[in-house]
Amino acid sequence: MNTRMRRAAFAVAAGAMAVSLAACGSAKQSGGGSSSASSGAKKGDAIKVGLLLPENQTARYEKFDRPLIEKKVKELTNGKGEVVYANAKQDASQQNQQVETMITNKVDVLIVDAVDSAAIQNSVQKAKEAGIPVVAYDRLAQGPISAYTSFDNETVGKTQGEALLKALGDKAKSGKIVMMNGSVTDPNAAQFKKGAHEVLDGKVNVGKEYDTKDWKPENANTNMEGAISALGKQNIVGVYSANDGMAGGIITALKAAGISNIPVTGQDAELAGVQRIVSGDQYMSVYKPYAPEADAAAEMAVALAQGKSLDSVAKDKVDSPTTKQVPSVLVPVQSLTKDNIKDTVVKDGVYTVADICTAQFKAACDKIGLK
Ligand code: BGC
């Protein structure tokens, strides 16, 4: 059994969880600020939430995760809660420093999307010792976290693999595919890769496979150039890319080599990715709705800061390499191709058709009936 995260354990664990949550979940909201200096002081709406995001080259963090979490915290605290924000710009030691600063500044709770899920462990421990609960956001940080929210990341990888197989059809084994995975410091990357391999192994020939340092599009671009020269451009039938940012770098390399019309996968439903899907340069992305993930993080963080139970929000349980049965919220994902742009990102208000179909993409939008 997969030791990291499994719902199978949920039923067995539910009873035990209820007990342990009851032990720490009996505090009542006091209605305004803290009234005593003891560590068990009840918190009202005037809470301070520390938010730590891992990088800013991938669009989602500044464009969606941060503003959505800030909005939800405000909403849940009658406008009184404050979010203190820091972005680690892909630097794990800087992120540890940021946790220290937040502890010094006495935040009531932390929401952390770790650059490096192992390197953050000591900081999580220190926060706990300072009485500050940590919600692991999107990536499963190691150490004594109190809650976790993400998507089912193995399913993300499977969704990508299945879409690639569908796009390849009977050409699946007629050449080689290239696999561009994410950063080894990100536990999600390992799960995307695992899910993708589960679907693809035996059905395609993997010519080259990379773990991409820091998830950087420019590193994916360099690796793709290497793969093209090693395999020969006529031999590549498709590319598994773990996210849209890297797909951008990969597609630039493919175009420079004169390769077109091969399927490339992605993830995040970034605007640039959706536009490449419209123009046909990218085959698919995985749409992970940010709002429910951000809302879950905010709800759990506010509840933890106020000493309330997570029962009504966290219906799942996940094991990390260090911590078992973490109360969790896992949000479902959807494959995004040119056929369902309207039913996904447009319907959910992530983008309007006008955002996607700018002058440059107008003709392509018309062609696929996106208006
Ligand atoms: C996230 C992806 C993101 C990637 C690079 C992963 O942990 O789940 O949405 O594209 O990191 O930042």
Side-chain angles (χ1 to χ4, degrees):
M1 159 165 152
N2 178 354
T3 51
R4 301 195 96 179
M5 49 188 293
R6 273 334 15 163
R7 289 162 211 230
F10 176 65
V12 185
M17 264 317 300
V19 173
S20 67
L21 274 172
C24 65
S26 56
K28 300 255 158 37
Q29 191 175 332
S30 70
S34 55
S35 50
S36 105
S38 81
S39 63
K42 321 267 190 294
K43 290 283 174 180
D45 283 338
I47 54 167
K48 228 198 257 185
V49 180
L51 172 62
L52 296 172
L53 296 181
E55 49 117 324
N56 59 4
Q57 75 205 342
T58 302
R60 57 171 292 181
Y61 302 111
E62 299 291 337
K63 194 165 182 341
F64 297 110
D65 300 289
R66 178 189 180 180
L68 286 167
I69 290 170
E70 287 173 341
K71 183 169 153 241
K72 193 69 182 178
V73 167
K74 283 275 174 232
E75 202 178 299
L76 293 166
T77 57
N78 301 304
K80 297 197 183 106
E82 183 195 348
V83 174
V84 195
Y85 176 67
N87 189 304
K89 307 209 172 113
Q90 199 54 50
D91 181 337
S93 50
Q94 190 177 329
Q95 191 167 55
N96 285 328
Q97 198 52 54
Q98 291 170 339
V99 175
E100 298 275 339
T101 307
M102 300 244 174
I103 294 174
T104 310
N105 291 341
K106 297 202 165 35
V107 296
D108 296 299
V109 61
L110 278 167
I111 299 175
V112 179
D113 192 340
V115 173
D116 182 322
S117 61
I120 199 79
Q121 180 171 355
N122 269 339
S123 299
V124 172
Q125 183 67 42
K126 283 186 197 162
K128 187 187 162 106
E129 282 158 15
I132 302 169
V134 175
V135 178
Y137 187 68
D138 202 73
R139 301 178 183 172
L140 188 53
Q142 295 185 28
I145 54 171
S146 299
Y148 167 60
T149 182
S150 190
F151 300 89
D152 185 334
N153 292 307
E154 222 173 286
T155 300
V156 172
K158 282 189 189 158
T159 304
Q160 294 168 320
E162 276 156 11
L164 186 57
L165 277 187
K166 183 168 175 224
L168 288 170
D170 55 13
K171 293 206 200 98
K173 279 201 160 175
S174 66
K176 305 266 166 64
I177 71 154
V178 175
M179 289 188 73
M180 207 70 72
N181 305 301
S183 163
V184 290
T185 62
D186 177 353
N188 292 349
Q191 290 189 301
F192 303 147
K193 183 175 172 177
K194 180 164 184 271
H197 271 290
E198 261 168 44
V199 171
L200 293 170
D201 287 356
K203 305 231 167 78
V204 294
N205 304 309
V206 180
K208 282 272 173 197
E209 176 163 15
Y210 303 86
D211 292 320
T212 311
K213 186 161 175 5
D214 294 338
W215 278 105
K216 284 203 190 321
E218 57 268 36
N219 294 340
N221 175 269
T222 308
N223 289 338
M224 194 63 220
E225 286 173 354
I228 295 168
S229 37
L231 300 174
K233 66 177 198 175
Q234 66 291 347
N235 297 320
I236 300 172
V237 293
V239 183
Y240 166 86
S241 168
N243 80 352
D244 288 347
M246 297 199 303
I250 290 163
I251 289 164
T252 303
L254 292 173
K255 283 192 171 169
I259 304 173
S260 60
N261 287 326
I262 67 164
V264 178
T265 66
Q267 157 177 206
D268 287 340
E270 290 189 4
L271 184 56
V274 175
Q275 289 174 324
R276 284 191 299 266
I277 291 173
V278 166
S279 66
D281 289 328
Q282 184 174 327
Y283 176 65
M284 65 85 73
S285 184
V286 179
Y287 171 46
K288 306 194 300 184
Y290 302 110
E293 187 188 32
D295 287 358
E299 278 167 37
M300 294 193 291
V302 171
L304 286 164
Q306 296 178 335
K308 291 182 190 161
S309 161
L310 298 180
D311 279 359
S312 61
V313 196
K315 304 290 184 201
D316 242 309
K317 295 288 172 290
V318 165
D319 290 351
S320 86
T322 62
T323 310
K324 305 291 165 228
Q325 298 298 308
V326 178
S328 300
V329 176
L330 297 178
V331 180
V333 303
Q334 247 179 299
S335 175
L336 175 73
T337 63
K338 64 176 171 39
D339 301 323
N340 65 352
I341 293 173
K342 212 155 189 184
D343 298 335
T344 53
V345 286
V346 173
K347 179 168 140 254
D348 287 359
V350 180
Y351 312 115
T352 62
V353 170
D355 291 334
I356 300 166
C357 302
T358 55
Q360 189 190 345
F361 296 97
K362 182 79 180 61
C365 280
D366 287 347
K367 210 169 143 203
I368 63 168
L370 183 63
K371 16 181 189 289

